[in-house]
Amino acid sequence: MNDLQSKAFPSKTVGIALQALLAVGVICELLILIFTVVYVFANETYYENLYELEQKVTVFSFVLYYICIVIYLIWLVQVHKAIRQKHADYPIRAFGTVVRMIPIFNLWGIKNTFSTIHSYLSRHSGLERKASYIRHLIIPLYFVWFAGGIVERVFLSQLPHMESTIMMFEAIMQPARMIVFYFITRIIHNSLVVLYEKDENGSYSEAEPRKTTNEIQVSVPQMDHPTNATGSQEPSHT
């Protein structure tokens, strides 16, 4: 069953759209990486054949990048809402989502957000593996979001003569950033698809735990003594 046929949940539509936009973003950033490589190693070829095309792709990619950030925030709000429908004690709400993504606060907020999502999804049978992928992507997410910029600034301040190296590093980090965001979006989205499909098919979730054999009380009806043809009760033999 594909995404369009799966059961609806709060972040479903936005999640599908965001994955498509991030995929387009990855393609654009990979094109810019190719343009950068040509610029560094074949400068004349770049200006003769690729300069105008790169300018258009760069502007499109720049606009798309900020559109993705806005939609990503909207999607995260809906993800928290979807999980909260299964767990009344889920702690992150709309205001908390935005606060966790504010610069400086996001140093703590990104880890807290995805660790919390991982913690609650991993409680459901069959989602433990998908949830573990979310946890494993937190460190790469920090690297492409924060460490890349720090390394770039160090290069600029300490090695200003290495302009080509800095340009190549930046061109590599941009698609890497998009790829990490794409995969973490896809994993969370697919986990929610599975979670809501399980509930629709009658499978249990953590919010409604499966009963054990000892908890199931089976009532056995007491059978009456058989009656004879006249309707009187047959005596029991002792």
Side-chain angles (χ1 to χ4, degrees):
M1 182 177 290
N2 60 36
D3 277 354
L4 296 177
Q5 295 174 320
S6 63
K7 185 179 179 181
F9 51 89
S11 64
K12 178 184 174 183
T13 303
V14 182
I16 294 171
L18 179 59
Q19 288 179 77
L21 290 173
L22 288 171
V24 173
V26 169
I27 294 170
C28 288
E29 295 299 343
L30 288 174
L31 285 174
I32 293 173
L33 174 59
I34 294 171
F35 295 148
T36 304
V37 172
V38 176
Y39 172 82
V40 171
F41 295 101
N43 196 266
E44 288 186 11
T45 302
Y46 167 80
Y47 279 108
E48 289 175 3
N49 304 295
L50 300 176
Y51 175 75
E52 292 184 2
L53 178 60
E54 190 206 15
Q55 297 305 303
K56 294 176 182 177
V57 174
T58 300
V59 171
F60 177 79
S61 180
F62 178 82
V63 174
L64 180 63
Y65 180 77
Y66 285 97
I67 290 174
C68 284
I69 289 176
V70 173
I71 296 180
Y72 207 90
L73 284 174
I74 296 171
W75 173 74
L76 273 179
V77 170
Q78 295 300 309
V79 165
H80 298 319
K81 182 178 179 181
I83 299 175
R84 196 162 55 248
Q85 287 184 356
K86 304 299 180 183
H87 299 272
D89 63 335
Y90 188 77
I92 305 177
R93 298 182 180 273
F95 179 74
T97 303
V98 176
V99 169
R100 283 168 171 79
M101 296 299 123
I102 294 174
I104 304 301
F105 286 104
N106 61 3
L107 290 168
W108 156 80
I110 289 177
K111 180 180 185 301
N112 179 265
T113 295
F114 293 110
S115 294
T116 305
I117 292 173
H118 157 262
S119 174
Y120 278 81
L121 289 180
S122 64
R123 298 181 184 185
H124 294 269
S125 175
L127 290 181
E128 298 92 339
R129 187 175 180 182
K130 288 181 181 292
S132 71
Y133 293 151
I134 299 171
R135 187 182 71 249
H136 295 326
L137 281 171
I138 292 175
I139 292 177
L141 185 59
Y142 268 85
F143 179 77
V144 297
W145 193 253
F146 297 110
I150 294 171
V151 172
E152 186 179 328
R153 288 182 178 87
V154 170
F155 270 121
L156 283 171
S157 61
Q158 302 298 324
L159 304 168
H161 59 284
M162 298 182 64
E163 181 181 352
S164 297
T165 303
I166 298 167
M167 190 178 300
M168 286 291 296
F169 179 79
E170 183 180 357
I172 292 170
M173 291 305 298
Q174 280 295 104
R177 189 176 295 129
M178 283 286 192
I179 288 169
V180 172
F181 271 102
Y182 172 81
F183 277 110
I184 203 166
T185 301
R186 185 170 183 82
I187 291 166
I188 293 173
H189 177 82
N190 288 346
S191 296
L192 290 173
V193 169
V194 172
L195 176 59
Y196 275 77
E197 284 302 321
K198 284 180 65 178
D199 285 352
E200 185 182 55
N201 294 332
S203 301
Y204 73 95
S205 66
E206 194 272 346
E208 295 178 332
R210 182 172 55 180
K211 290 183 178 180
T212 63
T213 305
N214 293 334
E215 294 174 327
I216 301 174
Q217 296 180 351
V218 180
S219 59
V220 180
Q222 186 176 359
M223 296 182 64
D224 295 332
H225 292 288
T227 56
N228 57 25
T230 62
S232 60
Q233 191 179 64
E234 292 184 355
S236 58
H237 300 283
T238 58

